[in-house]
Amino acid sequence: MTWVGDAWRCAVGHGLTWVGDAWRCAVAAKLDVVGWTSRHAMRREARNVVQVSRRMLARAHRRAIRPLRHSVIRQSHILEVVPRNTLLLTLLLLLPLWGCGPSERPEHLWGKRGVRNGEFVRPRAAVIDRNDRLYVVDYTARIQAYDLDGKYLDTTWTTPDYRNGRPSGLGIALDGSLIVCDSHYHCLRLYSPDGTELRKIGGDPGNGPGQFGYISDVVQDDDGNLFVSEFGENDRISKLDANGKFIKSWGKAGTAEGEFSRARALALGPDGLLYVADAINHRIQVFTRDGEFVRTFGASGTEPGQLRYPYDLAFGPKGDLYIVEYENHRVSKFTKEGKWLACWGAAGRSPGKLASPWALVVDRKGRIHIIDTENHRVQRIAF
């Protein structure tokens, strides 16, 4: 019954020092559905199940994580008291309390560090167009096109000048053109799929109407309106018409509702609302498309439902919201109302681990393509 050992290795691998609290919570909640009818037996097994072997404790120490603070018992004692199906059901019920659970291998992984075509240096933003082309921009200012399996499509270009800095956001316009946030040059550039520049919006630095500071992201709604996020000189969202004419803006630097501290990314929800990754405030803010505040969710932390530097967000075809967290090295899944559902990932270099991810994008099949920035690669998952 090696699945029990796998479950413990998962717990140790994630540095879970609060497993005992999770089990005590289960006891307090009287989870009769798992088949334990004796409250005394539940308490006894809650005490037993939080202890691990010295071998796993040593492994945890080698991985430089905080060891579990319990004495050692044999895992086989658990099996002598609790039937296999009962324990498995209990573990499944408690997985949400254990954070991201196992750091599973991705469905697909591709990319490596380099400056040749098909390689990356710290990729930082991505978007998928209507023809399932995946565009990625990296720290060298190269925009490259791939299919959804990571096959390079013989298309690479850069913005006209990147001595001041590189683009950090990508979007798709209603006409299918690629919108590049030329962040340090205070403008949006629209390109054809082959990299031909079609037009430019903005370029005049400042904080007046139609002027921009550092542009971080852009989305376009079905009416053609463009929503542009900025931070640094301007902490705000600007709304433009389809021709790039300024309509309105809202927001300022701060921590109150409607205020921002590094508005890193935008997403339009299935409810027609605008979702903003307010990175340094460790939250998501939600607005109408006219800028009226609706709600916020998230708080700084590492526990399920908390966020640490949400850098990008995207909706899946079923309406779930996926958020990539730069400092927690994971992807968290929420309902659009802000209820936490699950998460995936942990810090590291091996497949299934992430290193300061900047971005993600969801394809029409619901698969999440994670821009694993400091690992110079893309990992594709489905959860």
Side-chain angles (χ1 to χ4, degrees):
M1 302 205 182
T2 58
W3 57 276
V4 177
D6 291 339
W8 281 112
R9 281 189 284 274
C10 167
V12 174
H14 282 78
L16 300 179
T17 63
W18 42 274
V19 179
D21 293 336
W23 280 94
R24 292 186 194 98
C25 177
V27 173
K30 302 177 184 177
L31 296 177
D32 294 333
V33 292
V34 303
W36 280 330
T37 57
S38 167
R39 200 175 296 176
H40 174 73
M42 291 171 70
R43 293 193 185 99
R44 183 177 65 250
E45 291 311 310
R47 286 194 300 269
N48 288 342
V49 80
V50 298
Q51 302 173 22
V52 298
S53 69
R54 285 191 178 91
R55 178 172 58 85
M56 292 180 182
L57 198 61
R59 182 178 299 174
H61 180 72
R62 289 196 300 271
R63 294 181 181 178
I65 63 174
R66 189 169 48 175
L68 300 178
R69 299 167 298 183
H70 298 282
S71 59
V72 177
I73 63 165
R74 295 182 300 111
Q75 291 176 13
S76 58
H77 178 66
I78 300 170
L79 299 178
E80 293 169 6
V81 180
V82 185
R84 171 175 175 164
N85 59 347
T86 297
L87 182 56
L88 180 58
L89 180 55
T90 307
L91 289 170
L92 292 175
L93 285 168
L94 292 176
L95 277 177
L97 297 173
W98 288 358
C100 289
S103 183
E104 298 175 351
R105 292 183 64 89
E107 178 183 285
H108 187 51
L109 182 152
W110 54 276
K112 65 178 182 177
R113 183 182 176 91
V115 296
R116 294 179 298 181
N117 290 338
E119 299 174 340
F120 300 122
V121 177
R122 299 179 66 202
R124 54 204 334 225
V127 72
I128 297 173
D129 72 7
R130 63 180 65 170
N131 295 313
D132 288 336
R133 285 185 294 252
L134 172 61
Y135 296 94
V136 181
V137 62
D138 74 356
Y139 194 70
T140 68
R142 293 175 303 157
I143 299 155
Q144 301 184 75
Y146 298 85
D147 70 13
L148 297 184
D149 291 321
K151 180 184 177 182
Y152 175 66
L153 298 179
D154 295 323
T155 302
T156 298
W157 75 92
T158 67
T159 48
D161 192 354
Y162 46 89
R163 289 172 295 178
N164 291 346
R166 295 82 174 169
S168 66
L170 298 176
I172 296 295
L174 291 180
D175 62 6
S177 57
L178 177 70
I179 312 174
V180 176
C181 298
D182 202 353
S183 307
H184 297 269
Y185 292 86
H186 325 290
C187 68
L188 304 173
R189 299 183 187 274
L190 280 75
Y191 291 89
S192 66
D194 64 1
T196 301
E197 185 169 343
L198 304 174
R199 64 184 176 121
K200 184 179 80 170
I201 298 173
D204 183 17
N207 53 23
Q211 296 179 321
F212 298 109
Y214 180 99
I215 299 177
S216 57
D217 202 12
V218 61
V219 292
Q220 188 172 36
D221 68 13
D222 290 339
D223 297 324
N225 298 306
L226 294 161
F227 298 87
V228 183
S229 58
E230 303 171 69
F231 63 81
E233 182 179 355
N234 306 317
D235 289 273
R236 67 185 183 187
I237 309 296
S238 291
K239 181 179 180 179
L240 316 176
D241 69 15
N243 296 316
K245 182 180 178 181
F246 177 82
I247 298 175
K248 68 184 301 182
S249 65
W250 68 90
K252 63 178 182 179
T255 60
E257 293 177 351
E259 298 177 347
F260 305 106
S261 184
R262 192 179 293 178
R264 181 74 256 180
L266 305 172
L268 286 166
D271 50 10
L273 300 175
L274 182 68
Y275 290 70
V276 183
D278 189 7
I280 296 180
N281 285 328
H282 313 291
R283 66 186 180 186
I284 306 301
Q285 295 201 66
V286 187
F287 300 88
T288 69
R289 287 180 286 172
D290 288 324
E292 297 177 7
F293 176 82
V294 176
R295 62 179 174 270
T296 186
F297 58 90
S300 179
T302 61
E303 301 299 326
Q306 296 179 329
L307 302 169
R308 286 293 292 173
Y309 296 96
Y311 257 36
D312 200 6
L313 71 174
F315 281 93
K318 296 181 180 179
D320 295 321
L321 176 62
Y322 298 93
I323 302 169
V324 68
E325 301 176 58
Y326 176 87
E327 193 168 282
N328 279 339
H329 313 284
R330 69 187 182 189
V331 175
S332 289
K333 179 180 179 180
F334 290 82
T335 67
K336 66 181 186 299
E337 292 80 17
K339 179 184 177 182
W340 181 84
L341 298 174
C343 59
W344 185 96
R349 301 293 184 183
S350 59
K353 301 295 181 72
L354 302 170
S356 303
W358 271 52
L360 54 71
V361 64
V362 184
D363 64 30
R364 68 183 72 195
K365 295 181 179 179
R367 302 174 300 182
I368 302 98
H369 304 252
I370 307 168
I371 305 304
D372 190 4
T373 302
E374 297 299 335
N375 284 327
H376 316 285
R377 65 191 182 188
V378 177
Q379 299 197 57
R380 189 178 75 202
I381 64 172
F383 86 108

